[in-house]
Amino acid sequence: MNKNYDELYRKLAVAHATLIKQNQLLSHDECKTQLKEKMYELDSSLDESYIHEVVEEAFLPYTVQKISSEAAVVPKNIYPWVLEEEFTEKKSATYWNAYALNLKKYMHLTDEQITELRDDCLVITNRLVSPRSEYIKSKSDQFNKKGLVYGNVQSGKTATFGGVIAQYVSKGCRIVIVLSGTLNNLREQTLNRLRRDLGIDHPPISNMHWHLITDPDDLLRKNCQKIDSVLSNQDTVLFGVFKKNSQVLKHLNNRFLKLNNQSFLSNYQALIIDDECDQASINVANISADERSAINKQIIQLFKYLPRYSYIGFTATPYANVLNEPPGEYSLYPSDFIVALPEKQDYYGASKIFGLGEEFEDYDTGLPTLDIINPYNKNGKRKDEVFSSIELQLLENAIRYFLLATACKYERAESIPNSESLLSHSTMMIHCSHKIIDQREILSKVKAIYKNIVDEYNQVDNELSKGYFKAVWDKEYVARAENNRVAIKEQFPEDTLKRLPEPSFNRLFGLLATIIEKTELKIDNGEASDHERLVYDDENPAVYIATGGNTLSRGLTLEGLVVSFFSRSTKTYDSLMQMGRWFGYRRGYEDLPRLWMPYEVMINFRFLAGLDIDLRESIKRYELDASPRQVALAIRTNPHMQIVRKMAMQNAVQASVNLAGHRPQTIYFRKDTYWLHDNIEAAKNLVRSSVKKNIVTHKPIKQIRSNYLFEDINFEDLTQFLEEYQFHMSSVGLSKDLLLGFISKAKENGYLDSWNLVLKSVSNTNKVIKCELFKDFLDIPINYLIRGQIDDIPGRVNLKAITSPGDILCDTEIHNPARFSYKEQFEQRDYYFKEKGKKTPGLVILYPIYSKSKSSSKDRLPLTLDKDIIGVAFVFPMIAQNTGLYDSVVVNLPDYNPVDEDYDDLN
């Protein structure tokens, strides 16, 4: 065949494949058949094998999901109907290209960041119905999709759903409805952001036709035309952002959508974006009585008026969305897909700030950005006081630090090329009570503190002021600088530190005059007047110290947040996580954010950081052909917290999470002598009982390397040890109730019915320190382990780690166990015992740590305790069955009949 003809046929095949793929009612094989018929129409003389080759080549990009996003998604592999290359500057994806231009202009995103965003959005867009699919009434349910997008707090979800809107509209969607927030300020913030970024008022590209049906002042424009009048203009896109209020949505339904012809609407695919979809949207009425709460009822009514729609809920706390009600025609359950957006490397998230619990392989204690508000200050505070004297002093320090940190941002903007964005807004948040009367009192105290700071600074001789500021800067920045830089180097992109030069204090102190002049004290709550509230104007960068409560708790972005003074508490996962306004991106000032917080609240945030990882891993593990209609996300429970309010999880049932294959270890200890003594006694009792059993059964104590192994210890001795041993309250993953519950449950199911015990000891050298804790009943030489502590909160010893590489294999004779990775050690351990014809036992490891340990590491401090530390680690062998270390809950899914599902789009 002529080369030119061959090239032409292949190009035509690609073009027709793109058009055919828009009809998602066709299976992948039916699409190929249709293209073969089209090729015969073009030239009936073409050889059948040639047509087959050309068709396979044309559909190859659609055969394998090649989108490069790292999002975790269920179902995983689908046949895409839109590809990456359709959203490049060379293609005519008008609305997406306009969006990309505006993100560069207003959000200062790089080309690489735009590409990452495009790919994340494509994962979602490909799970929606193609707007160009011809509507068939008998298959109407196939034109409706419900999904959930799970992102992090303040991680750019608005940018993501803006991108999905831009992509979907570029592919033919003509109706877009965004449900955003329960408060006016959040709805207005979302509307103004989307108007700007989507180019609704000022299109950066020609041939864009937006028709706005809402504006900041009027939730539904009074002069709205009927939809058929609007959409009769070719390519016009109808767009509105609505507050989640039952009357607002009722107005939208009854005075707008209801008036339109349903057969006409069936020609247009609608996109419904539900921002913060776990708030207000969830049905909190009695589901078993077939009742619906007011807002939920109006959202369901939207579905009834729109013959074809794609509904996507966006949230950082999806617990209620997957526990509230099962899949159904009139349910918000994400029955078609769940997407967990990837956490970007430069995102300032929960695991970076708070670290992870000891049950995780890569646990850590987080960035050195936390200041603990004295957890014992309640004793020195009267009932009618919002702050104790200690808290007032900490608040003053926080305000001084905020002014200096803002000055540092300004200084870097002047001295570092391309850092103008640092001159944008800068905010401090003070969130300590949900009561408006308390917030007013807090504001009055903030005003008094701030006035005193400013008056001192404005003195002709302000050396006293300089001394106060210098003391705060040295404590909050200089003393943490080295550790902070090490952590940033490990956890952020490699070039981050280049943008973070350490500033001169004298230079910052001089810049304070400018910062003080710009600083405004704000209060944001349900009763604040307009001039008191937070309003960010990009043309006039602000410096705000903001006091508030619930209006600061969800959705609202605090621009340029540097300092958070947070002593609020709540017992539900979703409310607490959403209060974390300090999460987000801090490009150019990653070393500056600070957070003042009570110790016990920090522990709860660390638990939620681990929960986030659990959820993402759960989504990754689902089979390729599973959908949320068939599988349920398990949410780990915490004995000290509630997941969501009871009526938001009406369809939840108890389940288990399989966390076998983990090695939790104790890293936190109290300094209390009696507490340490009790743990020594618990360890002695366990070892004593194991020695007695060896004597009775004539088993020798095995020495493996420098450690001592007791095989097949009594189960009763193990449970007694767990009853007696005291875990530090910071060790959420090592709650004795949870451990005992898992071990007992596993034994009932025929697993973990045998346990080994290893007593750790270091090799004999001239420098070893003999341990005599067990000398009364154990006539073998035990040597202490040496572990230094890291700088931590008062009253707590933090060893960061007690285990050594290879300890998972310390009850085996495998040579050089440290050469294996964490996961490989579990595999090797299973193989080792299988070769011996044994079930893989559980393993308890005891670590006697010298009370006066002096570490050679520069970042470790010596121990100065009156009693030795007994650390403990547990090795739980890999178990395939669903017996778990933690209790959890899942939604109670109805029996699923796969005949009802159309699998054509699944690999």
Side-chain angles (χ1 to χ4, degrees):
M1 178 185 291
N2 182 289
K3 183 180 179 181
N4 291 335
Y5 277 114
D6 176 50
E7 187 175 335
L8 175 62
Y9 285 139
R10 292 182 190 274
K11 285 183 177 180
L12 286 170
V14 169
H16 283 296
T18 302
L19 292 173
I20 292 169
K21 258 296 171 183
Q22 307 305 306
N23 186 354
Q24 290 175 301
L25 298 188
L26 295 177
S27 70
H28 197 60
D29 287 339
E30 286 171 335
C31 287
K32 290 181 181 179
T33 300
Q34 197 170 102
L35 181 56
K36 287 178 180 178
E37 292 172 355
K38 182 64 68 175
M39 295 300 292
Y40 277 121
E41 287 178 19
L42 289 171
D43 189 343
S44 59
S45 66
L46 291 175
D47 182 72
E48 184 176 342
S49 61
Y50 174 76
I51 289 180
H52 178 77
E53 177 190 333
V54 170
V55 167
E56 290 295 322
E57 181 183 284
F59 279 110
L60 183 61
Y62 299 98
T63 303
V64 179
Q65 177 60 286
K66 55 177 275 187
I67 296 170
S68 53
S69 169
E70 295 180 0
V73 58
V74 50
K76 287 184 180 178
N77 282 5
I78 62 166
Y79 290 120
W81 60 273
V82 57
L83 305 175
E84 289 175 0
E85 48 264 38
E86 295 181 54
F87 290 103
T88 64
E89 293 181 8
K90 295 178 182 178
K91 298 287 183 178
S92 58
T94 304
Y95 291 88
W96 169 259
N97 290 338
Y99 188 64
L101 287 172
N102 282 338
L103 290 183
K104 290 179 185 179
K105 179 179 179 180
Y106 298 114
M107 301 293 290
H108 310 287
L109 297 191
T110 64
D111 288 338
E112 182 180 358
Q113 289 167 334
I114 295 287
T115 299
E116 286 182 354
L117 178 65
R118 178 202 68 185
D119 294 345
D120 290 344
C121 294
L122 273 172
V123 170
I124 303 164
T125 303
N126 263 309
R127 280 156 179 81
L128 307 180
V129 179
S130 168
R132 296 190 176 120
S133 294
E134 184 180 352
Y135 185 75
I136 301 173
K137 191 170 184 179
S138 61
K139 297 184 177 183
S140 59
D141 60 316
Q142 295 185 37
F143 291 86
N144 301 328
K145 297 286 184 181
K146 295 174 191 169
L148 174 69
V149 178
Y150 166 36
N152 296 105
V153 176
Q154 299 286 292
S155 64
K157 292 188 298 298
T158 305
T160 303
F161 70 66
V164 172
I165 291 170
Q167 289 182 354
Y168 208 40
V169 168
S170 293
K171 298 304 292 182
C173 175
R174 304 276 300 280
I175 302 171
V176 179
I177 294 171
V178 179
L179 311 177
S180 180
T182 59
L183 300 169
N184 287 332
N185 61 344
L186 176 55
R187 178 197 161 273
E188 289 172 19
Q189 187 181 63
T190 302
L191 173 61
N192 292 335
R193 165 83 180 272
L194 292 173
R195 288 175 77 166
R196 183 195 71 182
D197 294 350
L198 290 168
I200 289 175
D201 302 310
H202 306 287
I205 295 177
S206 59
N207 299 322
M208 294 175 64
H209 305 284
W210 293 101
H211 181 85
L212 191 64
I213 60 172
T214 55
D215 60 32
D217 300 319
D218 186 4
L219 300 185
L220 180 62
R221 288 182 168 176
K222 293 181 175 60
N223 62 347
C224 273
Q225 304 173 50
K226 289 183 64 177
I227 291 179
D228 52 0
S229 301
V230 176
L231 297 185
S232 61
N233 299 318
Q234 192 175 11
D235 298 330
T236 298
V237 180
L238 186 146
F239 180 84
V241 178
F242 296 87
K243 184 170 70 172
K244 282 193 272 188
N245 172 284
S246 59
Q247 292 305 310
V248 169
L249 297 180
K250 189 174 182 179
H251 192 74
L252 168 65
N253 279 319
N254 293 345
R255 299 191 185 180
F256 189 54
L257 294 179
K258 186 178 180 180
L259 304 179
N260 287 275
N261 184 291
Q262 297 296 293
S263 61
F264 175 82
L265 285 178
S266 66
N267 296 312
Y268 300 96
Q269 192 74 30
L271 174 62
I272 304 170
I273 299 288
D274 189 350
D275 188 19
E276 304 293 348
C277 61
D278 63 313
Q279 184 190 35
S281 304
I282 296 298
N283 187 13
V284 291
N286 188 342
I287 293 175
S288 62
D290 199 24
E291 297 173 357
R292 293 207 166 269
S293 47
I295 294 173
N296 178 268
K297 182 178 181 180
Q298 293 304 322
I299 294 174
I300 298 302
Q301 192 63 53
L302 270 176
F303 297 166
K304 294 178 180 178
Y305 286 146
L306 294 168
R308 50 191 293 179
Y309 63 83
S310 296
Y311 168 86
I312 317 172
F314 282 76
T315 183
T317 48
Y319 322 123
N321 302 91
V322 297
L323 296 176
N324 181 240
E325 55 185 339
E329 183 181 3
Y330 299 127
S331 157
L332 298 187
Y333 182 83
S335 52
D336 294 295
F337 64 88
I338 297 174
V339 175
L341 295 172
E343 183 175 305
K344 308 302 182 188
Q345 194 179 359
D346 56 349
Y347 174 69
Y348 206 83
S351 59
K352 281 181 181 173
I353 297 173
F354 301 105
L356 296 171
E358 306 89 321
E359 70 271 23
F360 289 91
E361 174 190 358
D362 297 322
Y363 75 93
D364 199 355
T365 52
L367 293 167
T369 61
L370 283 166
D371 280 275
I372 299 301
I373 298 173
N374 188 345
Y376 308 108
N377 60 26
K378 294 173 185 175
N379 297 330
K381 184 165 67 174
R382 296 195 312 270
K383 261 190 173 182
D384 58 346
E385 285 184 321
V386 293
F387 286 141
S388 69
S389 58
I390 296 173
E391 286 175 314
L392 284 173
Q393 183 58 57
L394 290 171
L395 179 59
E396 180 181 333
N397 292 346
I399 292 172
R400 288 184 187 275
Y401 177 77
F402 169 68
L403 297 173
L404 287 167
T406 303
C408 184
K409 289 173 63 180
Y410 277 47
E411 195 275 336
R412 285 176 180 169
E414 294 176 8
S415 60
I416 301 174
N418 304 316
S419 297
E420 296 81 3
S421 61
L422 293 176
L423 291 173
S424 188
H425 310 291
S426 194
T427 307
M428 173 179 177
M429 177 184 76
I430 303 169
H431 186 178
C432 300
S433 174
H434 69 285
K435 297 179 180 177
I436 288 178
I437 190 172
D438 287 350
Q439 293 160 24
R440 283 289 174 189
E441 185 179 344
I442 291 167
L443 178 62
S444 69
K445 293 185 181 298
V446 170
K447 286 180 176 178
I449 291 171
Y450 184 71
K451 182 179 184 301
N452 184 55
I453 291 172
V454 173
D455 287 347
E456 284 177 356
Y457 183 82
N458 288 333
Q459 294 288 325
V460 176
D461 180 6
N462 61 5
E463 285 302 308
L464 181 64
S465 174
K466 188 173 186 178
Y468 287 144
F469 274 106
K470 181 73 162 58
V472 169
W473 185 252
D474 285 349
K475 178 181 181 295
E476 295 300 331
Y477 187 87
V478 177
R480 304 173 190 230
E482 183 177 351
N483 287 340
N484 220 353
R485 293 179 76 83
V486 169
I488 288 170
K489 185 177 181 180
E490 290 175 351
Q491 300 189 47
F492 286 86
E494 60 182 35
D495 63 341
T496 301
L497 287 176
K498 295 176 184 177
R499 305 191 304 269
L500 308 176
E502 189 167 335
S504 156
F505 172 77
N506 288 335
R507 170 69 175 145
L508 298 186
F509 189 71
L511 280 172
L512 285 181
T514 300
I515 306 304
I516 288 171
E517 184 180 353
K518 291 177 67 71
T519 300
E520 298 179 58
L521 306 185
K522 295 284 188 177
I523 184 167
D524 204 306
N525 58 34
E527 293 184 2
S529 60
D530 289 345
H531 78 274
E532 290 181 305
R533 304 186 78 159
L534 290 169
V535 177
Y536 293 104
D537 176 3
D538 290 341
E539 299 300 319
N540 298 289
V543 179
Y544 289 147
I545 297 177
T547 299
N550 291 341
T551 60
L552 304 183
S553 296
R554 179 187 281 268
L556 186 68
T557 299
L558 301 183
E559 302 285 355
L561 184 63
V562 183
V563 169
S564 302
F565 195 89
F566 182 87
S567 60
R568 182 87 182 272
S569 185
T570 177
K571 289 298 183 182
T572 59
Y573 295 8
D574 55 346
S575 295
L576 184 62
M577 192 60 135
Q578 288 287 354
M579 288 179 187
R581 299 292 97 194
W582 47 81
F583 300 129
Y585 299 96
R586 304 291 181 262
R587 297 180 181 112
Y589 59 107
E590 287 88 345
D591 57 335
L592 295 180
R594 294 293 182 272
L595 173 59
W596 276 257
M597 171 181 286
Y599 173 66
E600 61 269 21
V601 178
M602 180 269 286
I603 293 299
N604 288 337
F605 269 110
R606 180 170 294 166
F607 170 81
L608 293 178
L611 178 66
D612 174 72
I613 289 177
D614 281 349
L615 280 176
R616 293 172 185 277
E617 288 301 315
S618 294
I619 293 171
K620 287 179 183 177
R621 284 196 294 265
Y622 285 139
E623 294 298 321
L624 298 184
D625 60 351
S627 76
R629 201 186 300 270
Q630 301 156 271
V631 295
L633 279 183
I635 310 295
R636 192 205 301 182
T637 59
N638 182 326
H640 308 296
M641 297 182 74
Q642 186 175 323
I643 299 174
V644 292
R645 55 183 172 148
K646 187 177 179 181
M647 294 304 287
M649 51 182 288
Q650 296 180 64
N651 216 57
V653 293
Q654 285 294 125
S656 302
V657 176
N658 184 4
L659 284 180
H662 283 259
R663 180 230 49 209
Q665 58 177 312
T666 53
I667 62 172
Y668 301 116
F669 305 89
R670 287 170 60 180
K671 294 182 178 181
D672 180 78
T673 300
Y674 294 104
W675 190 87
L676 294 169
H677 169 79
D678 288 347
N679 279 354
I680 291 171
E681 290 303 308
K684 287 169 69 173
N685 290 340
L686 178 60
V687 176
R688 184 187 291 111
S689 298
S690 301
V691 169
K692 285 181 180 178
K693 180 177 181 182
N694 276 30
I695 292 171
V696 170
T697 57
H698 304 290
K699 270 189 177 181
I701 299 170
K702 284 188 179 179
Q703 182 172 357
I704 300 180
R705 294 173 284 277
S706 59
N707 307 314
Y708 297 96
L709 168 65
F710 301 85
E711 294 181 295
D712 197 24
I713 64 174
N714 285 329
F715 186 79
E716 294 76 14
D717 293 335
L718 171 63
T719 56
Q720 183 64 33
F721 169 74
L722 287 172
E723 292 283 2
E724 295 174 354
Y725 188 88
Q726 300 297 309
F727 295 99
H728 194 279
M729 65 174 290
S730 303
S731 301
V732 177
L734 283 170
S735 157
K736 67 173 60 185
D737 292 337
L738 295 175
L739 288 172
L740 284 166
F742 166 64
I743 291 170
S744 298
K745 187 188 301 182
K747 191 172 188 297
E748 289 171 8
N749 285 278
Y751 299 95
L752 288 183
D753 45 11
S754 66
W755 283 81
N756 288 344
L757 168 66
V758 166
L759 181 58
K760 290 285 288 186
S761 176
V762 298
S763 303
N764 278 308
T765 66
N766 294 331
K767 295 182 180 180
V768 299
I769 302 171
K770 301 258 182 228
C771 171
E772 298 188 345
L773 295 176
F774 309 97
K775 68 176 183 178
D776 293 344
F777 51 85
L778 190 59
D779 188 23
I780 52 178
I782 306 291
N783 300 321
Y784 280 115
L785 282 73
I786 303 299
R787 296 287 188 272
Q789 63 178 321
I790 63 174
D791 190 18
D792 203 45
I793 65 172
R796 185 176 78 174
V797 176
N798 182 351
L799 300 184
K800 194 170 183 180
I802 62 170
T803 59
S804 301
D807 277 5
I808 291 168
L809 295 171
C810 66
D811 62 341
T812 75
E813 295 171 300
I814 294 174
H815 175 67
N816 189 17
R819 73 183 188 274
F820 297 107
S821 69
Y822 181 87
K823 182 179 178 182
E824 289 170 342
Q825 287 182 59
F826 282 98
E827 294 169 348
Q828 289 294 322
R829 191 166 181 269
D830 281 354
Y831 182 75
Y832 175 86
F833 286 104
K834 186 177 180 180
E835 286 289 293
K836 290 179 172 291
K838 296 181 179 180
K839 276 187 183 179
T840 307
L843 172 62
V844 186
I845 313 172
L846 296 180
Y847 296 77
I849 299 168
Y850 184 48
S851 62
K852 311 294 185 199
S853 290
K854 293 182 180 179
S855 174
S856 58
S857 175
K858 288 192 299 184
D859 64 344
R860 292 287 195 276
L861 303 172
L863 297 182
T864 55
L865 303 172
D866 294 330
K867 286 285 185 181
D868 300 319
I869 287 175
I870 294 290
V872 59
F874 298 89
V875 178
F876 294 97
M878 295 184 292
I879 301 173
Q881 277 71 12
N882 191 29
T883 52
L885 179 57
Y886 295 96
D887 286 332
S888 64
V889 293
V890 299
V891 70
N892 185 20
L893 292 175
D895 291 337
Y896 177 74
N897 181 359
V899 175
D900 295 335
E901 180 81 350
D902 182 358
Y903 281 98
D904 288 343
D905 280 344
L906 301 175
N907 281 338

